[in-house]
Amino acid sequence: EPEVTQTPSHQVTQMGQEVILRCVPISNHLYFYWYRQILGQKVEFLVSFYNNEISEKSEIFDDQFSVERPDGSNFTLKIRSTKLEDSAMYFCASSEEQSTEAFFGQGTRLTVV
Amino acid sequence: RKEVEQDPGPFNVPEGATVAFNCTYSNSASQSFFWYRQDCRKEPKLLMSVYSSGNEDGRFTAQLNRASQYISLLIRDSKLSDSATYLCVVRTGNQFYFGTGTSLTVIP
């Protein structure tokens, strides 16, 4: 069964450092997303991406964040100058069409120390 | 106002019980509706999409009432393996909006 894969599963970084979280969406999917979930809180939308550009972003997704689809398979989230409050589980998701369900990767747990 | 609201629970029910979860959403323009389940420290996994006509998948039944902007999930004959957090998810535009989730524990 096709699945969304994310690497690494856990990333520890020092405050102020840059991190890149990587995702391989399901191959025939056209819509890609990043979400985050702070421990004990709800899943929060960060950004959606379609046709090689951001289609929507939340107020969380400020200038510190960027996304890229560097090739035909990878979808990355870059966080510049990480802060302690960026510690969370980051989920990548993809969907085939705009109205269909999204499938989530297993997440990257980011810990900023 | 929150986009999606759910009763956080927790719901603690005995094995074999029937349990119902409810959810409301605020944007009448929302297009698609889903229930996901999330186990502790894992990713959300699709349980089922929700349609206006109602749909059933084994022990699970989902209903959507667009007029009331209300979504429900019914679980019959609860199993221990049903213990998880159930997330009501609504698609509006290019975003999936998540409720805070309802925690279910099925007790032997």
Side-chain angles (χ1 to χ4, degrees):
Chain A
E1 184 178 326
E3 58 180 17
V4 176
T5 57
Q6 290 184 244
T7 54
S9 55
H10 192 187
Q11 172 95 46
V12 181
T13 189
Q14 285 201 320
M15 192 168 56
Q17 296 296 304
E18 175 182 287
V19 294
I20 297 176
L21 310 183
R22 302 180 192 279
C23 170
V24 179
I26 295 173
S27 59
N28 64 329
H29 285 188
L30 302 176
Y31 295 82
F32 315 119
Y33 315 86
W34 282 100
Y35 282 80
R36 78 172 186 190
Q37 187 174 31
I38 295 169
L39 188 64
Q41 297 187 24
K42 72 175 187 178
V43 177
E44 298 176 291
F45 171 76
L46 293 177
V47 65
S48 58
F49 192 88
Y50 169 72
N51 201 26
N52 284 318
E53 59 183 23
I54 291 173
S55 49
E56 199 161 338
K57 60 182 181 179
S58 72
E59 56 191 30
I60 302 170
F61 194 89
D62 59 21
D63 292 343
Q64 181 195 6
F65 294 88
S66 62
V67 290
E68 197 176 31
R69 189 151 161 83
D71 53 45
S73 58
N74 291 285
F75 179 52
T76 62
L77 175 70
K78 183 189 291 185
I79 310 175
R80 286 182 284 275
S81 189
T82 49
K83 304 191 282 273
L84 295 176
E85 54 265 37
D86 293 329
S87 295
M89 182 74 96
Y90 287 81
F91 292 110
C92 173
S94 68
S95 64
E96 191 172 357
E97 296 173 14
Q98 192 175 27
S99 60
T100 56
E101 62 274 7
F103 292 89
F104 285 76
Q106 68 274 53
T108 293
R109 180 166 298 283
L110 177 65
T111 303
V112 182
V113 297
Chain B
R1 185 178 174 187
K2 292 180 183 175
E3 285 280 341
V4 181
E5 296 211 48
Q6 290 182 255
D7 178 352
F11 284 66
N12 300 312
V13 302
E15 253 185 303
T18 294
V19 61
F21 303 138
N22 303 314
C23 165
T24 56
Y25 60 96
S26 62
N27 193 332
S28 59
S30 298
Q31 307 112 303
S32 311
F33 310 90
F34 311 92
W35 283 101
Y36 281 74
R37 89 171 254 168
Q38 187 176 29
D39 294 288
C40 189
R41 296 178 178 258
K42 299 285 190 183
E43 76 274 23
K45 289 190 175 176
L46 179 70
L47 184 64
M48 59 199 303
S49 302
V50 189
Y51 307 111
S52 297
S53 54
N55 47 307
E56 188 173 308
D57 182 3
R59 298 181 294 108
F60 300 86
T61 301
Q63 294 276 357
L64 165 66
N65 184 322
R66 282 191 180 267
S68 304
Q69 295 177 201
Y70 173 92
I71 307 162
S72 65
L73 177 68
L74 185 77
I75 305 176
R76 289 181 298 278
D77 188 23
S78 301
K79 312 287 185 197
L80 297 177
S81 56
D82 293 335
S83 297
T85 297
Y86 288 82
L87 305 171
C88 178
V89 181
V90 172
R91 176 156 200 154
T92 308
N94 291 312
Q95 285 194 42
F96 289 89
Y97 290 91
F98 282 74
T100 51
T102 300
S103 173
L104 172 67
T105 302
V106 181
I107 303 162

